[in-house]
Amino acid sequence: IIEENPNNAESAKKILGAFLKTPKKPVIMQLLNNINIFKDAENLVKEQNFKEYFLLTSNFSYLKDTELYKKVLILGDNIYQKALNCENNKQYDEFEKLARFLQNFPSYKDIITSYLISTSKKLEMLDFIAKNKKDKVYKLALEFEELQYLSEFKDYCKEFDTLYKQAKDLAFNGKIDELESIFQDYIKIEYWSKNIKNIYKIAYIQDFKNHINDTINWTKTINNYIDIFGKDDDIIDFCTKNKLEDSMLESDDERIKTTFKYQKTLIQQ
């Protein structure tokens, strides 16, 4: 009844009189001594000053039992859903506007701040893509995995996918010297290092096959491979088929792998 009209304070006091001698007295007195708090809360909502409004509800917990509080929560939920729709539809400016507003709502502050950070990274990614800054695009993609699902990022990767297919054909023919020119813009990009390394593995093994009848120091050659790639199935299969098992030195566990470098050949005469 105080919420309806501050002039009802005396009636409220009579209703609560029986509880003034109980542990509830501090709560009752807080209510009766702050009868204008409901009006203050209403004014803050009208002014859309939700930061102060929620601070007020935190200090005066009974404000959370009001119809006004319920309406404010519904408002927050509606704005949150609208913000998510804007983010999903790539309406980033409108999303940011709504998100900044929602940061004043305690129940949404953490999650909406997380979305804001994510969106800022998406915008950063789109800017790098537009400027064709490959190193920065792929570095950011490694740092924030969710960016790898952006349609713009997937489209950006199509250039590498095309080059990868060309390189794969060359690798199966052992044409190692042509790989560097294909991957020249990507060789130092960590994001694609595993893919490029796998292509070179194929090329090196094929290079070995192409020279199987030549005079080669197979012990040094094979162990050059193992130093880089380890004693994997490919080199074991090559050695087994060509009776070169003895060329593999100590066990893989006892070796120290060297950093992969884009060498034109691993073959040693």
Side-chain angles (χ1 to χ4, degrees):
I1 64 173
I2 294 177
E3 180 185 0
E4 294 171 0
N5 189 333
N7 294 327
N8 290 327
E10 285 301 319
S11 298
K13 187 175 182 179
K14 290 179 182 179
I15 293 171
L16 298 172
F19 298 93
L20 285 172
K21 294 182 179 181
T22 72
K24 295 292 184 181
K25 182 177 178 179
V27 180
I28 295 170
M29 295 311 298
Q30 184 192 45
L31 175 65
L32 297 176
N33 291 333
N34 294 278
I35 57 175
N36 291 320
I37 208 70
F38 297 100
K39 189 64 177 177
D40 293 342
E42 186 178 339
N43 289 336
L44 288 172
V45 171
K46 286 180 179 179
E47 296 166 3
Q48 294 195 356
N49 189 346
F50 290 102
K51 183 176 182 180
E52 291 298 323
Y53 172 73
F54 283 110
L55 181 60
L56 199 66
T57 61
S58 178
N59 293 331
F60 300 91
S61 60
Y62 48 80
L63 289 175
K64 296 179 181 180
D65 296 323
T66 64
E67 288 301 315
L68 180 63
Y69 187 78
K70 295 175 184 177
K71 290 178 181 178
V72 170
L73 292 185
I74 292 173
L75 172 67
D77 186 57
N78 290 338
I79 293 174
Y80 178 68
Q81 295 303 324
K82 186 177 180 180
L84 291 188
N85 287 334
C86 288
E87 206 275 343
N88 290 332
N89 292 317
K90 301 179 181 179
Q91 298 171 331
Y92 296 123
D93 289 342
E94 182 64 17
F95 164 76
E96 185 173 356
K97 179 182 176 182
L98 295 172
R100 296 295 179 194
F101 183 80
L102 270 178
Q103 283 186 307
N104 294 310
F105 287 64
S107 55
Y108 294 106
K109 184 176 181 179
D110 289 344
I111 190 169
I112 209 66
T113 298
S114 177
Y115 269 108
L116 276 169
I117 294 172
S118 175
T119 300
S120 71
K121 293 303 176 183
K122 287 181 182 179
L123 292 173
E124 189 176 358
M125 170 67 83
L126 295 177
D127 181 58
F128 288 152
I129 288 175
K131 295 175 180 176
N132 196 26
K133 294 185 176 181
K134 287 184 173 63
D135 53 339
K136 293 185 177 181
V137 167
Y138 292 113
K139 182 180 180 182
L140 198 61
L142 280 177
E143 292 174 355
F144 299 92
E145 185 178 348
E146 63 184 277
L147 296 176
Q148 298 174 25
Y149 300 99
L150 280 176
S151 59
E152 292 87 351
F153 177 77
K154 291 179 180 179
D155 288 339
Y156 194 72
C157 292
K158 288 179 180 178
E159 178 183 270
F160 179 84
D161 293 339
T162 300
L163 295 175
Y164 186 83
K165 290 177 182 177
Q166 295 174 10
K168 198 170 185 180
D169 290 336
L170 292 171
F172 277 117
N173 287 297
K175 297 180 179 180
I176 306 170
D177 54 339
E178 296 183 39
L179 296 179
E180 188 173 359
S181 61
I182 287 182
F183 288 132
Q184 59 183 336
D185 293 334
Y186 293 93
I187 281 179
K188 294 182 179 180
I189 294 177
E190 184 183 353
Y191 185 88
W192 293 116
S193 61
K194 184 176 180 180
N195 300 69
I196 295 173
K197 186 176 178 180
N198 285 337
I199 287 292
Y200 271 84
K201 281 179 61 174
I202 294 171
Y204 289 141
I205 291 292
Q206 187 58 48
D207 190 35
F208 294 171
K209 293 177 181 177
N210 293 344
H211 291 84
I212 193 62
N213 294 319
D214 297 342
T215 302
I216 302 294
N217 186 331
W218 285 113
T219 298
K220 285 186 177 181
T221 297
I222 289 169
N223 284 282
N224 276 345
Y225 178 99
I226 294 175
D227 285 341
I228 298 170
F229 302 107
K231 196 179 294 183
D232 58 21
D233 292 341
D234 293 324
I235 196 63
I236 292 174
D237 183 61
F238 171 79
C239 291
T240 301
K241 288 181 178 178
N242 294 286
K243 298 182 174 18
L244 293 170
E245 294 96 332
D246 292 341
S247 295
M248 293 185 287
L249 299 179
E250 66 268 20
S251 68
D252 195 28
D253 294 336
E254 296 171 353
R255 314 177 71 97
I256 299 176
K257 289 185 181 179
T258 59
T259 302
F260 175 59
K261 296 179 181 179
Y262 304 101
Q263 303 173 60
K264 291 184 177 181
T265 185
L266 297 181
I267 289 179
Q268 298 289 314
Q269 300 296 332

